[in-house]
Amino acid sequence: VSDASGCSMIALLHTGAAKFPQNLLSRARQAVFPLLPAGVLKGFSSIVSRKLASHGFGASMAAMSSFPPQRYHYFLVLDFEATCDKPQIHPQEIIEFPILKLNGRTMEIESTFHMYVQPVVHPQLTPFCTELTGIIQGMVDGQPSLQQVLERVDEWMAKEGLLDPSVKSIFVTCGDWDLKVMLPGQCQYLGLPVADYFKQWINLKKAYSFAMGSWPKNGLLDMNKGLNLQHIGRPHSGIDDCKNIANIMKTLAHRGFIFKQTSKPF
């Protein structure tokens, strides 16, 4: 590399991509990416994408080349919606349970788990809850209990290969409330065990603050604004919030951010 912009290395990788051994090419990209300004990186990404496509590597390989590899094979994006009112009701109960399986190499959504849950302590949703979440009474009436939904989550995790010890995955939430407060609190109330895979996670607010240098006081709205992203769907819809989290993660990954666990071990 002749200067801080890495221009000489870009020229080398551009002209010699077909001849470069793939393991050395990958190492060279990882060494150069942190040095590149965003505009240069974007241009270089398109060059690499065209080179890979011309040599038959396909779109997925081209997409992977545009950002450094993550520490996890999969990110499991989760965002609960729960019974609520003003003043707050106790105990709160999960009424929407969505998970998106995000590929750690491509940052694309590969699979979705989404179920509504019937509350049992306060089975009737309040007008405040429906207005906030968009969930009406008919969407939870007759739905499985939390225990049944957790069993189906485990079945889905197994089907997706996420229980294989060789596969590294971690949950991602917007804040610590979902897995630090809501799920363990309701499980304790109902006498249900909490699976180990729910006991470590990435708080997207913390990850964003590490990457961008500012704390998103208004959560997803601030993160979308800070990254110039359009908000997806309806605020406080669990599945739509998951889509926004996934989109923010993909954007940060393309900027070179490496996601790490933020929760403390239980």
Side-chain angles (χ1 to χ4, degrees):
V1 178
S2 63
D3 53 48
S5 68
C7 292
S8 295
M9 183 61 80
I10 290 175
L12 173 62
L13 294 180
H14 175 42
T15 58
K19 302 174 184 178
F20 231 54
Q22 285 302 307
N23 62 329
L24 295 181
L25 183 58
S26 175
R27 290 172 63 185
R29 288 186 189 122
Q30 292 178 23
V32 172
F33 282 162
L35 303 175
L36 301 182
V40 175
L41 179 58
K42 184 176 180 180
F44 178 48
S45 175
S46 64
I47 291 170
V48 173
S49 296
R50 291 195 300 271
K51 282 288 182 181
L52 287 167
S54 68
H55 291 284
F57 282 85
S60 62
M61 283 292 291
M64 283 190 283
S65 72
S66 64
F67 55 90
Q70 296 291 329
R71 296 184 172 194
Y72 296 91
H73 297 114
Y74 297 101
F75 297 104
L76 306 177
V77 179
L78 176 149
D79 190 273
F80 295 138
E81 298 304 324
T83 53
C84 53
D85 202 3
K86 282 191 173 182
Q88 189 59 273
I89 57 177
H90 298 284
Q92 284 188 273
E93 299 170 84
I94 295 168
I95 53 175
E96 185 180 5
F97 203 128
I99 307 172
L100 299 181
K101 179 188 176 188
L102 201 64
N103 187 301
R105 293 170 299 151
T106 65
M107 300 305 286
E108 298 292 342
I109 298 168
E110 284 195 353
S111 181
T112 300
F113 178 93
H114 186 213
M115 293 190 71
Y116 291 99
V117 190
Q118 180 166 319
V120 294
V121 182
H122 301 288
Q124 193 70 29
L125 301 183
T126 65
F128 175 84
C129 182
T130 293
E131 183 179 353
L132 180 70
T133 66
I135 299 173
I136 62 174
Q137 192 65 41
M139 295 166 71
V140 297
D141 284 346
Q143 295 302 309
S145 66
L146 180 63
Q147 180 176 0
Q148 292 170 321
V149 171
L150 289 172
E151 290 170 354
R152 296 190 190 182
V153 169
D154 202 67
E155 292 169 358
W156 177 79
M157 295 275 287
K159 179 175 70 72
E160 295 293 329
L162 297 166
L163 301 185
D164 184 335
S166 65
V167 174
K168 293 185 66 177
S169 65
I170 190 168
F171 279 90
V172 183
T173 58
C174 184
D176 291 322
W177 175 82
D178 300 81
L179 294 178
K180 187 175 183 179
V181 177
M182 187 61 238
L183 183 63
Q186 189 177 358
C187 284
Q188 183 179 29
Y189 184 89
L190 296 174
L192 301 174
V194 178
D196 286 343
Y197 46 70
F198 286 126
K199 295 180 180 179
Q200 49 275 320
W201 63 90
I202 294 169
N203 178 343
L204 183 64
K205 291 180 183 179
K206 291 182 180 178
Y208 177 90
S209 69
F210 296 152
M212 302 296 290
S214 62
W215 183 260
K217 293 181 181 179
N218 294 314
L220 293 174
L221 295 177
D222 280 359
M223 288 186 273
N224 277 326
K225 183 178 180 181
L227 294 169
N228 295 315
L229 298 174
Q230 190 71 32
H231 191 86
I232 299 170
R234 185 189 195 284
H236 301 295
S237 156
I239 190 65
D240 288 346
D241 284 352
C242 284
K243 293 174 183 177
N244 281 285
I245 292 171
N247 200 29
I248 291 165
M249 291 184 69
K250 182 178 180 179
T251 303
L252 291 176
H254 274 276
R255 292 184 175 209
F257 185 73
I258 306 295
F259 290 92
K260 303 174 184 176
Q261 177 178 330
T262 62
S263 65
K264 295 180 180 179
F266 273 50

